[in-house]
């Protein structure tokens, strides 16, 4: 019997014992084993990878290499174990910084052309996005610096550092070429949108229409698939919703000033996500006390669910954030990546009811990123740190990544 003629039940049993990387190799054996969406449905195979942590390269490691560590559970503790290293992807990653990610995709960005690409390291698929260089229109000064003005704030940035200082997050709606990508960029963390077929990026919603605070800025964006809208949160918990074109903007929640935001001792990061149709806000408190013997460290995480406007008997309406400590079977992953949630019964290497966090970066100083990777167990309000401080260089910041077979049909078959 030829390998391609193996019974489906036997092939399904084999595939159920393999990791996603091994499944990719299996799919290359022959055309009939190619895991196209049709064959996946036919085999009913369950690929249940836990998230991977994309780490910055070691000093002597080529920049064309991506190094991941997989999450697992040992006893009651979450750890990172298996190392996944991709070294045959130099064309897609050399000299490019990785942002992201969603459903197996990263956004990679070069320093010169500022040309972003969606890239799946599992399948090697690439989707080109419009260049960001012409969109931001930097003005080159005679001293080699770039001077960019935003709300009367001037910042001198060396052109070689523009990519790493000026662009913060990329968030996309779907894992195909027709999806919309949102970038958080600039000194004031504004929004811009584009699709792969677009010639340029367009401005997203403007905070000036909804806020009078000069220091309010966007911190995170999530996409809600059911109503096909993006939701963006600011550092004062204001939430705006908008469609895939950046239009039909709606104020979901006005700002809720945090008097402790960016104090000398603490930094606050905000993230936004949907969980079972409910809008969730995650507030991360980071100790940045100066002149101490330990790194900037996540000290606490608080989670809130959004209760929409309710009309009271006095004809007034209100909306509010309600604190919660129960996510059910789910955990949420935050950091420099796109915020996402996973069910621990599907991703079996994670603990339920936790907020997993990775390195944060908010002060716009290159390389000034402390190792801060761990989880907050909401049930007992316990913080567990997964990586020890400074096991490696922390630039660029580590990000969570979920491996996927997206666009596996682009692979070469034997």
């Amino acid at each position: 019997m030829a390998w391609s003629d193996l019974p489906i039940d036997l092939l399904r049993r084999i595939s159920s014992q393999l990791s996603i990387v091994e499944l990719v190799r299996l799919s290359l054996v022959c055309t009939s084993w190619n895991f196209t969406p049709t064959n996946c449905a036919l085999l009913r195979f369950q690929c249940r990878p836990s998230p991977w942590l994309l780490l910055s390269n070691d000093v002597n490691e080529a920049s064309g290499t991506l190094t991941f560590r997989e999450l697992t559970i040992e006893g009651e503790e979450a750890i990172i174990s298996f190392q996944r290293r991709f070294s045959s992807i130099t064309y897609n990653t050399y000299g490019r910084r990785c942002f992201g990610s969603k459903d197996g995709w990263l956004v990679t960005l070069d320093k010169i052309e500022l040309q972003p690409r969606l890239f799946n390291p599992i399948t090697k698929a690439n989707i080109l996005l419009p260049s960001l260089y012409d969109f931001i229109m930097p003005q080159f000064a005679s001293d080699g610096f770039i001077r960019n003005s935003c709300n009367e704030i001037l910042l001198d940035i060396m052109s070689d550092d523009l990519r790493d200082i000026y662009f913060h997050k990329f968030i996309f709606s779907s894992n195909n070429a027709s999806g919309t990508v949102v970038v958080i960029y600039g000194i004031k963390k504004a929004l811009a949108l584009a699709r792969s077929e677009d010639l340029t990026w367009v401005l997203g919603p403007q905070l000036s229409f909804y806020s009078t605070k000069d220091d309010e800025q966007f911190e995170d964006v999530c996409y809600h698939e059911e109503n096909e809208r993006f939701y963006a949160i600011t550092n004062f918990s204001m939430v705006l919703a908008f469609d895939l074109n950046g239009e039909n903007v709606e104020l979901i929640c006005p700002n809720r000033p945090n008097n402790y935001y960016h104090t000398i001792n603490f930094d606050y990061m905000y993230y936004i996500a949907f969980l079972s149709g409910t809008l969730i806000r995650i507030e991360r408190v980071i100790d940045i006390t100066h002149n101490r013997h330990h790194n900037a460290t996540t000290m606490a995480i608080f989670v809130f669910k959004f209760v929409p406007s309710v009309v009271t008997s006095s004809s007034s309406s209100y909306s509010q954030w309600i604190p919660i400590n129960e996510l059910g079977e789910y955990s949420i992953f935050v950091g420099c990546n796109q915020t996402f949630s996973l069910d621990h019964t599907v991703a079996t290497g994670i603990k339920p009811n936790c907020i997993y966090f990775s390195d944060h970066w908010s002060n716009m100083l290159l390389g000034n990123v402390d190792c801060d990777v761990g989880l907050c167990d909401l049930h007992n309000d316990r913080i567990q740190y997964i990586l020890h401080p400074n096991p490696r260089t922390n630039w660029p910041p580590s990000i969570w990544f979920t491996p996927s077979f997206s666009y596996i049909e682009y692979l070469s078959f034997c």
Side-chain angles (χ1 to χ4, degrees), residues 52-67:
W52 297 351
L53 186 68
L54 174 58
L55 301 172
S56 53
N57 288 335
D58 288 322
V59 174
N60 296 323
E61 193 172 18
S63 67
T65 299
L66 295 182
T67 302

Side-chain angles (χ1 to χ4, degrees), residues 107 129 132 168-173 179-185 190-195 201-202 204-205 218 220-223 229-232 242-246 338:
V107 174
L129 294 170
L132 284 156
H168 306 277
K169 270 190 182 184
F170 290 84
I171 302 94
F172 34 108
S173 62
T180 297
V181 180
V182 175
V183 60
I184 303 177
Y185 75 98
L191 303 179
L193 302 88
R195 291 185 176 91
W201 294 73
V202 297
F218 290 107
D220 196 21
V221 179
C222 72
Y223 180 69
R229 304 189 81 193
F230 288 100
Y231 290 75
F242 51 96
D243 63 22
L244 293 167
N245 298 313
Q338 184 164 341

Side-chain angles (χ1 to χ4, degrees), residues 371-384:
C371 179
D372 187 20
V373 178
L375 64 90
C376 175
D377 189 326
L378 298 179
H379 178 70
N380 53 26
D381 198 28
R382 173 177 174 254
I383 298 282
Q384 178 201 334

Side-chain angles (χ1 to χ4, degrees), residues 88-108:
S88 59
I89 53 177
T90 300
Y91 169 77
N92 299 294
T93 59
Y94 187 81
R96 303 179 70 86
R97 179 182 163 189
C98 291
F99 298 79
S101 59
K102 177 183 173 66
D103 299 337
W105 291 91
L106 298 168
V107 174
T108 69

Side-chain angles (χ1 to χ4, degrees), residues 167-346:
F167 302 102
H168 306 277
K169 270 190 182 184
F170 290 84
I171 302 94
F172 34 108
S173 62
S174 61
N175 55 358
N176 58 56
S178 62
T180 297
V181 180
V182 175
V183 60
I184 303 177
Y185 75 98
I187 304 164
K188 297 295 290 185
K189 294 185 179 178
L191 303 179
L193 302 88
R195 291 185 176 91
S196 61
E197 65 268 21
D198 293 338
L199 296 178
T200 186
W201 294 73
V202 297
L203 283 173
Q206 304 297 296
L207 275 176
S208 56
F209 294 111
Y210 302 93
S211 176
T212 58
K213 293 182 175 295
D214 291 337
D215 53 350
E216 188 150 9
Q217 56 193 11
F218 290 107
E219 291 287 348
D220 196 21
V221 179
C222 72
Y223 180 69
H224 192 258
E225 294 184 0
E226 291 185 9
N227 59 17
E228 298 183 338
R229 304 189 81 193
F230 288 100
Y231 290 75
I233 191 169
T234 71
N235 55 333
F236 286 93
S237 297
M238 175 188 290
V239 178
L240 298 180
F242 51 96
D243 63 22
L244 293 167
N245 298 313
E247 300 172 348
N248 298 312
V249 182
E250 178 185 358
L251 176 63
I252 302 298
C253 179
N255 60 30
R256 296 286 188 269
N258 185 338
N259 295 328
Y260 301 101
Y261 184 80
H262 283 315
T263 66
I264 192 172
N265 294 323
F266 294 96
D267 196 1
Y268 286 74
M269 303 293 293
Y270 291 91
Y271 309 92
I272 190 170
F274 273 91
L275 191 62
S276 300
T278 300
L279 188 63
I280 301 293
R281 185 190 85 193
I282 300 102
E283 180 178 306
R284 178 178 177 183
V285 185
I286 302 156
D287 186 354
I288 55 172
T289 305
H290 298 286
N291 301 320
R292 62 198 182 105
H293 299 294
H294 54 92
N295 296 348
T297 306
T298 297
M299 304 302 296
I301 292 181
F302 304 100
V303 182
F304 304 83
K305 70 176 181 180
F306 181 66
V307 177
S309 297
V310 176
V311 179
T312 65
S313 57
S314 62
S315 298
S316 61
S317 64
Y318 68 92
S319 59
Q320 56 184 327
W321 293 102
I322 306 297
I324 60 173
N325 61 4
E326 182 58 54
L327 302 177
E329 302 295 328
Y330 288 87
S331 285
I332 298 177
F333 291 75
V334 302
C336 292
N337 48 272
Q338 184 164 341
T339 304
F340 61 90
S341 62
L342 288 175
D343 187 329
H344 88 105
T345 62
V346 175

Side-chain angles (χ1 to χ4, degrees), residues 354-366:
C354 293
I355 304 295
Y356 282 79
F357 55 87
S358 63
D359 302 332
H360 74 284
W361 175 61
S362 61
N363 57 11
M364 298 185 76
L365 295 178
L366 282 180

